[in-house]
Amino acid sequence: MNRILLISLAASIAPSLAFSAGQPTWPAGAQDTNDPRVLAFYDGTCAHYADQNGLTGVARDAYLTKCRTDMPEVYPVGYAQGGGGGGDE
């Protein structure tokens, strides 16, 4: 019984760990939207999402431009980062 429970738990956690493994983490202590670490997080997160969706060429470029514009609203500086992939609160 415990073995089945452990296998089920591992199977349910594995996909989220695989997804989060390649995603950038929020820079600890960042307090400014123009902090190069924050900008790198935004760029890395957008590129990660584009890769996950298999975007290439013009579609990728358009997606990255829109994503970079929206990132400060999705992951605002000074707010606790949610389950979307942030990190430190």
Side-chain angles (χ1 to χ4, degrees), residues 38-88:
V38 172
L39 297 175
F41 169 78
Y42 291 160
D43 286 345
T45 300
C46 289
H48 178 76
Y49 292 155
D51 292 343
Q52 289 292 313
N53 289 297
L55 299 176
T56 59
V58 175
R60 181 184 176 86
D61 293 342
Y63 176 82
L64 291 175
T65 299
K66 174 83 170 108
C67 181
R68 288 177 184 136
T69 301
D70 294 343
M71 271 304 192
E73 292 179 35
V74 177
Y75 292 106
V77 173
Y79 288 88
Q81 299 305 306
D88 296 331

Side-chain angles (χ1 to χ4, degrees), residues 1-11:
M1 175 80 174
N2 287 340
R3 187 175 183 185
I4 294 171
L5 179 62
L6 182 59
I7 292 170
S8 297
L9 180 60

